[in-house]
Amino acid sequence: MKFYTKNLNGFLFASIVFGFAFGVIFPEFTPSLKLTGELFIRLLTLLIIPVIFFSMLSGVLNLQDSSSLARIGVRTFLYYTATTALAVLLGLVLVRVIQPGLEEGKSGAAAEILQGSAETGGDPAGVSGGIDDVLRNIIPDNIVEAMASGNVLGTIFFSIFLGIALLQLPPNASITALRDGVQTIFSAIIWMIDKVMLLAPIGFFALIAELVGGFVLEGQLRTLGDSLVWYTVTVMLGLLLHGIITLGGIALFFRINPLTFFQAMFPALLSAFSTASSSATLPITLDCLERRAGVPNRISSFVAPLGATINMDGTAIYEAVAVVFIANMLGVELSLTEQALVFLTATVSAVGAAGIPGAGLIMMVLILQTVGLPPDGVKLVIVVDRALDMLRTATNVWGDSIGAAIIASKEPKR
Ligand code: ASP
């Protein structure tokens, strides 16, 4: 067992490689793995709301005064906004340089593809909520319902609000006891996550094998046209450059070794990749930050849950590239004002997207509508969306984790 936990990174990586190979070689067996993958995700999802509530509450209570909460809050906000904006900018620059889909736009081929893919996915228009709904989610009218329905933003808001209220009360023995109690439950939840993580190699294997098997069975990989390949390459390049140069550079600037930190966060990144969900990965992200990267609990428990919900650098890059790609495919040239609109809406969409699979695709409908493109355009990118979702989610979690580490590096040690 000790050998297993010590070498978990290796086992996790192997499970992805074997999962991929299994999906390619035995696609017909992969549907039977569906339940295994699903049960693993359910185990993680089960822990999301408790982990958010207790980690945020213990994070705020451990800050001991509201001025450190304000300081960390402002820094977190600045980091999230700056990195998301940089991500969108990078996406826009890359898509202008590589110009995927431009030739098809000239030849009018996109209309055909739009028709051809009509059955591939339902029209997601109408599912997207827009900024009003994001605000409504932040302030739910019923906390029990918010928690029951998995409303992460509302749960975060309520936990911080309650934590601040407790900090304001005159210090007394019952508050100290409460803080210890919250900390104890949180430690117990972290123990549960640790145990779930031991099952991760099986979960990752099943998830990847089923996904790849599905692709192979449907023969979807072969439907990739040239333009879609370039689109995929542009998004992947953006994610890679952002992860290595922008985020790696920021880490170095704050004297954090990105390579060692990458190793510490490896299970969380692989989980993000396999589940395509920042929220489902949150329990693992917190565990890695605290136990493997040494980020103090009071910082990680505040910064990571917020990040999993609102800080999505990978999604931001993808939104920017995808919208311009769709415009190119449709032969529409975006004016400078429209590009500025793409910049703004892509930033807001990345904040508003939930940390669940496919959320970015739904938010894209919003951007398309804002710049006057048909919402149907998402069908042009649906085929590769799941694969890109996995990669952008890993980038999202990488961004959240670096944020937690650099904010921790600026806080006094105690
Ligand atoms: N799946 C992503 C996440 O959970 C969101 C997205 O679809 O871009 O971070």
Side-chain angles (χ1 to χ4, degrees):
M1 199 62 186
K2 231 180 162 179
F3 175 79
Y4 181 69
T5 38
K6 254 191 104 184
N7 296 293
L8 195 62
N9 274 3
F11 282 103
L12 290 173
F13 188 67
S15 67
I16 298 229
V17 175
F18 283 124
F20 193 90
F22 190 89
V24 172
I25 304 169
F26 307 111
E28 64 280 14
F29 292 121
T30 52
S32 55
L33 291 171
K34 191 173 164 50
L35 185 65
T36 314
E38 201 185 318
L39 289 179
F40 176 68
I41 298 241
R42 289 177 80 92
L43 266 178
L44 288 176
T45 315
L46 171 73
L47 295 172
I48 296 175
I49 293 293
V51 95
I52 288 178
F53 182 70
F54 286 105
S55 80
M56 292 299 278
L57 199 57
S58 82
V60 176
L61 290 179
N62 278 327
L63 290 176
Q64 275 161 352
D65 58 80
S66 32
S67 68
S68 30
L69 176 67
R71 185 181 62 239
I72 294 175
V74 168
R75 287 181 180 168
T76 307
F77 180 76
L78 282 180
Y79 170 84
Y80 286 169
T81 325
T83 48
T84 307
L86 283 175
V88 178
L89 263 183
L90 176 65
L92 284 176
V93 169
L94 283 178
V95 76
R96 284 218 78 73
V97 174
I98 302 179
Q99 295 282 23
L102 202 63
E103 288 308 307
E104 285 70 11
K106 286 184 192 140
S107 64
E112 263 171 53
I113 300 179
L114 263 189
Q115 271 180 355
S117 67
E119 327 87 56
T120 326
D123 189 349
V127 187
S128 71
I131 197 75
D132 299 9
D133 278 348
V134 174
L135 293 176
R136 281 193 196 101
N137 273 341
I138 295 179
I139 307 185
D141 52 4
N142 180 337
I143 186 60
V144 178
E145 191 204 321
M147 287 183 167
S149 59
N151 172 356
V152 171
L153 278 179
T155 309
I156 290 179
F157 174 76
F158 180 76
S159 327
I160 297 181
F161 201 8
L162 179 62
I164 295 176
L166 288 168
L167 283 182
Q168 302 307 319
L169 296 177
N172 62 41
S174 58
I175 296 208
T176 315
L178 185 73
R179 175 163 49 224
D180 291 348
V182 168
Q183 187 61 44
T184 308
I185 300 187
F186 183 54
S187 306
I189 296 178
I190 287 280
W191 183 92
M192 292 160 84
I193 298 168
D194 238 25
K195 297 302 159 241
V196 173
M197 253 174 76
L198 296 179
L199 296 174
I202 304 173
F204 291 179
F205 170 82
L207 288 170
I208 299 287
E210 197 218 331
L211 182 81
V212 174
F215 264 107
V216 174
L217 285 181
E218 287 173 28
Q220 280 195 6
L221 288 177
R222 257 169 280 134
T223 63
L224 275 186
D226 258 7
S227 49
L228 212 48
V229 171
W230 280 112
Y231 156 72
T232 308
V233 168
T234 313
V235 177
M236 280 168 46
L237 192 66
L239 297 177
L240 207 69
L241 290 179
H242 186 75
I244 297 178
I245 298 182
T246 314
L247 295 175
I250 293 179
L252 275 179
F253 183 78
F254 286 92
R255 292 171 198 280
I256 293 161
N257 180 339
L259 283 180
T260 332
F261 190 65
F262 179 83
Q263 261 180 353
M265 296 309 300
F266 195 64
L269 299 175
L270 281 189
S271 165
F273 179 77
S274 326
T275 60
S277 167
S278 308
S279 293
T281 301
L282 177 63
I284 303 186
T285 312
L286 276 170
D287 193 51
C288 289
L289 279 172
E290 285 172 30
R291 297 220 190 178
R292 296 167 58 111
V295 173
N297 163 258
R298 71 201 148 89
I299 310 289
S300 59
S301 57
F302 178 80
V303 182
L306 259 185
T309 330
I310 61 171
N311 182 46
M312 302 206 175
D313 297 357
T315 304
I317 293 175
Y318 147 83
E319 305 280 3
V321 174
V323 172
V324 178
F325 168 69
I326 292 170
N328 282 350
M329 288 288 277
L330 296 171
V332 176
E333 195 162 334
L334 295 174
S335 66
L336 219 62
T337 328
E338 281 164 340
Q339 287 184 39
L341 259 181
V342 169
F343 176 80
L344 278 180
T345 40
T347 311
V348 174
S349 306
V351 174
I356 54 171
L361 188 71
I362 293 172
M363 293 308 277
M364 210 159 64
V365 175
L366 201 79
I367 313 182
L368 290 175
Q369 279 168 342
T370 315
V371 292
L373 290 168
D376 247 18
V378 292
K379 287 177 183 157
L380 296 171
V381 295
I382 251 170
V383 177
V384 283
D385 199 67
R386 179 63 188 211
L388 290 182
D389 196 1
M390 294 159 80
L391 292 168
R392 66 183 187 247
T393 308
T395 313
N396 291 345
V397 171
W398 179 233
D400 302 340
S401 313
I402 295 210
I406 64 171
I407 287 163
S409 76
K410 287 278 135 206
E411 285 299 303
K413 307 262 174 297
R414 54 172 157 89

